[in-house]
Amino acid sequence: MRLFTNLCLWLLVLQSSLAQHVVQGKITDTHKNVLPFCAIQLKGTNTGCISNEDGAFLLKYTNITDTICISHLAYKPNFVTVSQVLAQPLIQLEPDVYELVLTEIKPNDAYWYELVYLSKTLAMQSAQTVSKAWFSLESSSTGSPIEVIESYHNVQLEKNQVNSLTLKCGRIAHDTAQNFAFVSLNPTRLITAYKLFYQNNYKLPINPLQLSLNQLKKRYRIHLLNKIGENGAICHLSLQPKNNERELFAAELWIDSGKKQLLHCVLKRKELLLHPFVPIQASHHIDSVNMRLAYNFQSMDGKPALNYVDITYTMLYDDTRKCHQITTNAMLYLFEHGQTYIEPVFEASPEMSDYEAILLYPFNKLFWQRNEAVALSSKKKSYLNYFQTHGLLVNFEGFEKSQFGSERTKSRWAAQKRFSPEDFKQFKPNGHRQRIVFEPPSSHKLFNLSAQLFMDVNSYTDTTDILTATLIDLDKSYYNAAKHPLSEAFINIYFDLYEIQRRKLAAGLMHNQICPDDANRLFKTHNLELSQILKRYLTEVERGRNHQKMKEWNQFVYESLGISNLSQ
């Protein structure tokens, strides 16, 4: 369980902060071609954003006199005021190529190999830090939309590499018209598992930044493609595997040769020998996987800091009826470095996938209304329009009650959902994933019913919004005792007691001036009360065999929730 450490003074600080507004713009080159992924920064602040694939951006500001710095590799930076963008949202960047060259670097020309190695070494000197992050994924089959995932996370970084992502909020859209099952169950795993700067046996090719200096000279050929910027300080390098080694990524690097700073890295490989993707069903087959990974760094306090990771991969997915050409584009964008969201309070299992977590979290309407790290692109907008009539949407306003039918390891409590002992029988090893069995307390060897309360605190300058839910753990719960007439009522009353306590918690959190510390204390208090209530329930009803006590507890549930678990 994660605990909040924010002080109650937090509210007073927020109330005194300046009001923020949003300016919109679009960035192109001098030929009116849109420039995606430009860095947009309020000068002298940590406030910034990036342009989307249409070149459009949304930037928070406080004063119309604020200066905005807009930059992109191979283009001259442009400085404009907020008032100028409000008057003319279209902004142009001029090319900044100092010298076009194409030079092959010899292995005995140590300078360029050492430059690559030193840029990696400097990037890895970054201290452990945190950040907020926005993640987006779009998949299509021969141009037709399949899925969209959008989520916000807290990021932990070490040596400029993503160590972990903790979900704050997410939403999913999925096609149902094509009768084709394809979902990216855990896409952020690729970002956290593959390390740019060292090898860790993940199922992707080795890249040049993972190698020692000697191995780099031995296995890669370097070409200097061009020089960019003032005095040609930024070198654009191409690194190709010698002998076309299939287990190596080809790479392009942009390095500031004066500062030895890595600015941008692109990794490419066609027809991967190894990849991390697994078909949804054992009878399905994945082939011809091509991948492109791009890592972008911005300069913070004179050192490189990871800005975004951009991923594109294609594959042939054979579902035994048809071979589908799949294209997926994904991005993780880091913003507000050094700051994090207040994380939801509940115990997440390490095995929980991105999909499971997003489906589990309650719909957070206010969060989505107040958070838009990257402007909605025309492509994503067209995908979502398609899914409104041909698919399912989860956690989109107006569609928050839509659900997927995929296997779930956790479920939110619902009045209409009543469980039977058969719902908690252990899975047998018949080709499906076997349910993990946790050893229960010694007095309850024959069953274990597992649930927990969920709380998500969201703080804004004018309000604190708190969501709660009752989560039933289908993976940890089991019931192998002999069935009797009140077994079903025994199970459902147990879970209903969680929901009663959740509603009591929610009522206590309704105070407008509550701060995160107070919310955390209430959550712990109600959890302690709940554990005492559950202990008394289990003791009194004797696994449902004490009919009189079952009637009394059922009456308590009926008075609290309007639900009777006993037949009249």
Side-chain angles (χ1 to χ4, degrees):
M1 184 185 301
R2 301 185 183 273
L3 302 179
F4 300 118
T5 58
N6 305 62
L7 299 175
C8 290
L9 286 174
W10 163 84
L11 275 177
L12 298 176
V13 173
L14 286 177
Q15 288 173 355
S16 65
S17 63
L18 294 173
Q20 284 196 321
H21 309 281
V22 176
V23 60
Q24 303 181 43
K26 185 173 183 178
I27 307 168
T28 69
D29 63 13
T30 52
H31 298 289
K32 298 184 179 181
N33 299 311
V34 298
L35 292 179
F37 313 145
C38 294
I40 300 109
Q41 193 85 17
L42 278 183
K43 190 175 180 181
T45 74
N46 196 31
T47 301
C49 66
I50 58 171
S51 58
N52 66 13
E53 57 192 286
D54 303 323
F57 69 89
L58 300 169
L59 180 66
K60 295 179 181 178
Y61 71 95
T62 54
N63 298 303
I64 61 172
T65 56
D66 290 342
T67 298
I68 303 173
C69 176
I70 302 169
S71 59
H72 193 288
L73 279 174
Y75 291 87
K76 296 178 181 178
N78 194 351
F79 294 88
V80 293
T81 63
V82 171
S83 59
Q84 288 175 313
V85 179
L86 290 171
Q88 175 50 266
L90 188 62
I91 304 163
Q92 290 188 345
L93 297 185
E94 298 180 8
D96 190 19
V97 178
Y98 174 77
E99 182 181 1
L100 291 174
V101 295
L102 181 57
T103 305
E104 181 176 352
I105 311 301
K106 303 299 181 183
N108 58 358
D109 189 349
Y111 171 78
W112 297 101
Y113 286 93
E114 289 175 355
L115 178 63
V116 171
Y117 187 77
L118 287 173
S119 71
K120 183 258 300 256
T121 303
L122 178 62
M124 292 182 69
Q125 291 176 2
S126 175
Q128 188 171 359
T129 186
V130 295
S131 175
K132 296 179 181 179
W134 170 84
F135 177 78
S136 177
L137 177 143
E138 300 160 6
S139 294
S140 62
S141 174
T142 321
S144 182
I146 298 176
E147 65 178 344
V148 167
I149 301 175
E150 184 178 11
S151 52
Y152 286 83
H153 302 258
N154 283 340
V155 183
Q156 286 190 344
L157 299 111
E158 186 172 4
K159 298 181 179 180
N160 257 321
Q161 297 169 116
V162 177
N163 271 359
S164 67
L165 289 166
T166 302
L167 180 69
K168 172 61 179 178
C169 200
R171 54 190 182 187
I172 298 170
H174 203 281
D175 173 59
T176 57
Q178 299 186 56
N179 193 27
F180 165 48
F182 180 91
V183 291
S184 302
L185 289 176
N186 211 16
T188 62
R189 171 66 180 161
L190 191 153
I191 296 172
T192 58
Y194 186 72
K195 303 303 182 184
L196 179 62
F197 297 132
Y198 62 84
Q199 299 178 46
N200 61 346
N201 298 318
Y202 189 62
K203 293 183 178 181
L204 281 177
I206 298 168
N207 77 72
L209 297 175
Q210 295 174 333
L211 299 176
S212 67
L213 181 57
N214 287 336
Q215 284 293 312
L216 181 63
K217 292 178 180 179
K218 182 178 180 181
R219 304 184 72 176
Y220 276 93
R221 181 181 296 108
I222 298 181
H223 290 82
L224 175 60
L225 299 182
N226 57 53
K227 294 182 178 182
I228 304 166
E230 187 177 354
N231 300 321
I234 299 174
C235 300
H236 179 191
L237 304 175
S238 170
L239 290 83
Q240 298 295 325
K242 294 181 179 179
N243 304 317
N244 196 28
E245 291 184 63
R246 294 279 303 279
E247 65 272 22
L248 297 179
F249 270 122
E252 288 186 51
L253 305 178
W254 286 256
I255 301 173
D256 187 323
S257 59
K259 299 177 181 178
K260 307 296 187 291
Q261 276 194 17
L262 178 64
L263 304 177
H264 196 71
C265 169
V266 176
L267 308 176
K268 297 179 183 178
R269 184 80 254 181
K270 293 184 177 180
E271 301 289 338
L272 295 182
L273 295 176
L274 288 175
H275 60 77
F277 306 114
V278 179
I280 296 174
Q281 297 183 20
S283 59
H284 295 182
H285 183 68
I286 294 174
D287 198 8
S288 300
V289 176
N290 307 314
M291 180 166 288
R292 179 187 184 274
L293 296 169
Y295 297 81
N296 183 267
F297 298 85
Q298 60 179 330
S299 182
M300 293 183 64
D301 300 324
K303 295 181 180 180
L306 184 63
N307 186 31
Y308 67 76
V309 182
D310 181 40
I311 305 169
T312 300
Y313 51 85
T314 63
M315 67 178 70
L316 295 178
Y317 190 96
D318 188 348
D319 65 357
T320 71
R321 294 173 301 172
K322 181 181 178 182
C323 191
H324 304 265
Q325 175 69 53
I326 306 297
T327 300
T328 296
N329 302 105
M331 169 175 276
L332 181 77
Y333 165 58
L334 284 65
F335 62 99
E336 296 184 18
H337 287 260
Q339 301 182 40
T340 57
Y341 294 108
I342 300 173
E343 294 180 359
V345 185
F346 80 112
E347 295 180 359
S349 61
E351 297 83 11
M352 184 183 293
S353 70
D354 295 342
Y355 250 58
E356 287 178 312
I358 291 172
L359 293 173
L360 186 65
Y361 284 23
F363 175 57
N364 195 332
K365 180 178 179 179
L366 191 58
F367 181 91
W368 290 108
Q369 289 177 344
R370 299 202 177 193
N371 288 271
E372 192 171 11
V374 178
L376 182 67
S377 69
S378 56
K379 176 184 174 184
K380 182 177 287 186
K381 190 179 297 184
S382 68
Y383 275 29
L384 295 178
N385 288 337
Y386 172 85
F387 293 135
Q388 285 189 22
T389 54
H390 299 89
L392 292 171
L393 295 101
V394 175
N395 291 343
F396 285 87
E397 189 168 356
F399 298 91
E400 56 267 25
K401 294 183 180 179
S402 300
Q403 292 293 335
F404 290 102
S406 59
E407 182 186 359
R408 307 272 295 282
T409 62
K410 285 183 174 60
S411 174
R412 293 203 297 268
W413 181 93
Q416 67 274 18
K417 176 59 178 176
R418 300 288 92 185
F419 293 99
S420 69
E422 286 72 23
D423 291 321
F424 300 111
K425 293 295 183 182
Q426 296 178 33
F427 288 150
K428 303 300 180 183
N430 58 354
H432 297 286
R433 179 175 60 84
Q434 188 170 357
R435 180 168 288 165
I436 300 171
V437 176
F438 292 78
E439 185 68 17
S442 58
S443 59
H444 303 296
K445 287 286 186 181
L446 295 177
F447 71 93
N448 184 55
L449 302 178
S450 180
Q452 61 177 305
L453 300 183
F454 170 99
M455 181 176 71
D456 184 18
V457 178
N458 301 275
S459 57
Y460 308 101
T461 55
D462 57 344
T463 187
T464 299
D465 182 50
I466 304 177
L467 299 178
T468 60
T470 296
L471 307 182
I472 299 171
D473 197 321
L474 306 180
D475 222 22
K476 291 183 180 180
S477 298
Y478 58 88
Y479 190 90
N480 293 327
K483 186 177 178 180
H484 58 79
L486 296 185
S487 294
E488 185 168 320
F490 166 72
I491 292 171
N492 286 295
I493 289 175
Y494 183 88
F495 291 132
D496 290 343
L497 293 175
Y498 276 87
E499 176 61 15
I500 292 171
Q501 193 69 0
R502 183 204 68 80
R503 296 186 183 189
K504 184 179 176 182
L505 169 65
L509 294 169
M510 289 294 291
H511 195 281
N512 288 334
Q513 296 301 317
I514 197 167
C515 71
D517 268 352
D518 290 337
N520 187 57
R521 278 191 288 269
L522 275 174
F523 186 85
K524 290 193 293 184
T525 299
H526 283 76
N527 262 307
L528 181 60
E529 289 179 358
L530 177 59
S531 65
Q532 295 169 347
I533 292 169
L534 294 173
K535 183 178 180 180
R536 184 157 60 91
Y537 171 71
L538 292 175
T539 301
E540 290 183 1
V541 303
E542 300 171 6
R543 199 161 35 87
R545 295 186 182 278
N546 188 323
H547 289 210
Q548 181 57 39
K549 288 297 182 180
M550 283 291 291
K551 289 181 180 179
E552 294 176 10
W553 282 97
N554 184 68
Q555 182 63 26
F556 173 64
V557 170
Y558 180 76
E559 292 173 357
S560 303
L561 303 177
I563 297 171
S564 176
N565 290 289
L566 298 177
S567 56
Q568 304 299 322

